[in-house]
Amino acid sequence: MASSVPSAVPTEPAARAAALRAALAERVVVADGGMGTMLQAAEPSMEDFQQLEGCNEVLNVTRPDIVRSVHEAYFDAGVDCVETNTFGANHSALGEYDIPHRITELSAAGARVAREAADAYTARDGRPRWVLGSIGPGTKLPTLGHTGYPVLRDAYRDNAAGLIEGGADALLVETSQDLLQTKAAVVGSRRALAESGLDLPLIVQVTVETTGTMLLGSEIGAALTALEPLGIDMIGLNCATGPAEMSEHLRHLSRHARVPLSCMPNAGLPVLGADGSHYPLTPVELADAHEAFVREFGLSLIGGCCGTTPEHLRHVVERVRDLTPAPREPRPEPGASSLYQAVPFRQDASYLAIGERTNANGSKKFREAMLEGRWDDCVEIARDQIREGAHLLDLCVDYVGRDGVADMAELAGRLATSSTLPIVLDSTEPEVIRAGLERLGGRAVINSVNFEDGDGPDSRFARVTRLAAEHGAALMALTIDEEGQARTAEKKVAIAERLIAELTGRWGIDESDIIIDCLTFTICTGQEESRGDGAATIEAIRELKRRHPRVQTTLGLSNISFGLNPAARTVLNSVFLDECVKAGLDSAIVHAAKILPIARLDPEHVRVALDLVYDRRSGDYDPLARLLELFEGVDSKAMKAGRAEELAALPLEERLRRRIVDGERNGLEADLDEALRERPALEIVNDTLLAGMKTVGELFGAGRMQLPFVLQSAEVMKTAVAHLEPHMEKVEDADGNSGKGTIVLATVRGDVHDIGKNLVDIILSNNGYNVVNLGIKQPVSAILEAAEEHRADVIGMSGLLVKSTVIMKENLEELNKRGMAADYPVILGGAALTRAYVEQDLHEIYEGEVRYARDAFEGLRLMDALIGVKRGVPGAALPELRRRRVAARPAAPAVSYTQ
Ligand code: B12
């Protein structure tokens, strides 16, 4: 067959794959659509199925004619590639038919049928046709413990080996629901490719449900962060929903993925009719959606999934034939991910806090729970750190005489689902790290490598780095070499340079995935040679960041104060961390709640601690001796009692404000009750508590207050509002119902701030509106679904991060795209917005009405106006749009909501 192909068309596997890569780089490549229904329509007999009813893969051997006819129907429609009939040629699916030993055979047969069809079509007209080797998910979810990672990985290797043998041009890991399963499929495929000596494109498509996440709760950002570092060629989405629901996730990929993008949606969401369910999307609608995706998000591989037919694909082919994918300028966000969410290594306004309490060496409580097998208690310690504001969790189970592999498997397995934060796998044993990697679907960080025993092929450095490379993990690297731990700034930087050169050059790890630890030693022993250690570390961090701005830096912070009492340690740790962050430190392994904001420390303590860090001795003055003197007999409790006394002495209003700033809850209710005797509840919130929150924001923004304390302030604020709520004035309709109108309220995707949104909820509910409060981090699909379900009159979105303002814009575009803009006026609020951005820029984009609310009361006035206009209340009108004085662009005329 191949011999009849015109000579310009590559026939060798490697050349075909290269041609596919080239096509994907310059144009839109179209793949096929649904297959199952077409196979069923051919009514294979039980004999065709070898008595294994419904096992479609068997047809590759018994009835290749049926399978081939499906491929041919799609090639007739004009597609460039077809997927092999091997979706179920994997461990669990074939296992259910008791034929797991036939994985390779049925995969190879499937690829062969598709290859023959592709080559025949290519031979006819000289246009290349390709075969995508389908690797389905199977039915077992390793994250939930249904099966083990190594078993899955090896079965996927067999699956991929068969596809390669049968002539596939690319491997397509599709319909991925569990990130750990996806990782097993990618790593298995990689191994098969390495064994075959072929370099075929490896494509991964994840399946995002209507809930806005993958089946186990993974956001698209978590999927991208976990999968891209595995060295895949392309990422995308398929199945579960139609194109409409996919668009916000594709937008995320388009914005952040380094690799090209693909999408194969279902023909909409199934609709239940009189004669069963059917997929509603028409061929023209699918073509519309793909055209928009290619133009907007720059997709380069498109096709269809369930419910799509050759007719659908014919329209798609015609529509995109002359399109060039929109050029993309992705902005990758280096980071780690849990099963659920991605966490960037660079944090806005904060260092990345790595919780140190889940460490058998560092925490007695954790160690004892682990040794006694009290696993739930271990998980609880992890949860405490999440509540305290950690960004990642360091997990270390190393303990003499224990089976570290078993302990790591147990704990990483539990944290895989119970931690919303990514895990740092901390061990000196490569096998313990492996046990962790094989339990975590998200992207882990490995702690750590160094050159203690060199960098030879059997060194610990090579063994751990190999694991990091295969699992796509980020890597902490310590400035230790064959001569020992680096003490001077020059030596630290020199070893860091060697680590970076080795990891990027020999192992292909990106600089932004390397986290260098310049090492901290105690400066509290009084020994002359350790006096300069603090300053050396700070200097090394500064120099390293100057030379390699993309590299991350970290520190095991608390070593600095080893030997001091706990109260003095808190001060020195806090001051040292502050200095390191100023020098460019990105992250620290800390007990986050024990770092105090510099603003809250006694200025003299700070001065002495700084003198100690920079070894500023003079005459009789030794900062170490002074610090010991200052803290002699002082314990943390005494420091706290001192602060409580100071607070009690303040006038009431100032005291309440300070309670918010200091996160001090004790006695809050009594103070609020006292205030209520003088002023209405709302006034207390607006004039006093919010002023406290404003100060918190300023301190935080200036880097003078760490996240755990902002969290404490937020908790006090919430408690205060809850206490005051019953005292707030309520307006009810004559019949007592809250029936004035309905608003769906949500904090937008990726944003956790909800104090303001919840205040809006209280104010609107108290004024007779029905508020559907969806909570935080809401994807646009959830907001729109709720709006439809509750027949909302208005949508309210809140967001405090700068990036939330962009999400809001995208959400409005999504409303436009779904034709819902005319039905839903939108009110936007939150600190990062400006009136001009909303009422000018966003108003120009949005096809409905959008307004800015500076606070909850403006929100209330807008609700009254919007509902009044909608109900035709005489005199009801929206306030004029307010615009920039100096127009950025020609201003559009104000549109009234009545239109
Ligand atoms: C408390 C707080 C937190 C708490 C939130 C707790 C909670 N449950 O909400 C915690 C500690 C969790 C937190 C985390 C973070 N935060 Co924060 N946080 C704040 C802080 C200090 C106060 C916010 C607040 O509650 N204000 C009080 C409320 C009442 O005001 P409000 O939300 O603005 O709401 C009023 C109006 O805006 C309006 N409104 C708001 N929404 C809506 C919606 C509608 C429909 C209407 C009508 C009105 C309306 O009405 C409200 C009442 O009148 C702000 C500082 C600030 N100036 O806002 C930073 C701030 C928002 N955070 C910031 C940052 C950077 C973060 C983190 C990224 C830090 C980190 N590196 O981890 C994370 C974000 C995580 C995430 N993915 O979202 C930055 C954002 C800057 C930026 N570049 O984007 C800020 C501005 C601090 C700063 N100065 O740098 N934060």
Side-chain angles (χ1 to χ4, degrees), residues 286-319:
L286 182 67
D288 289 345
H290 272 319
E291 178 180 352
F293 287 164
V294 171
R295 286 185 189 279
E296 222 177 302
F297 304 136
L299 301 196
S300 33
L301 175 66
I302 58 176
C305 200
C306 308
T308 59
T309 61
E311 193 49 24
H312 282 91
L313 272 301
R314 184 186 314 282
H315 279 78
V316 171
V317 167
E318 275 162 24
R319 188 72 69 81

Side-chain angles (χ1 to χ4, degrees), residues 781-792:
S781 46
I783 299 174
L784 301 188
E785 213 170 282
E788 298 277 82
E789 186 190 332
H790 297 276
R791 305 220 200 123

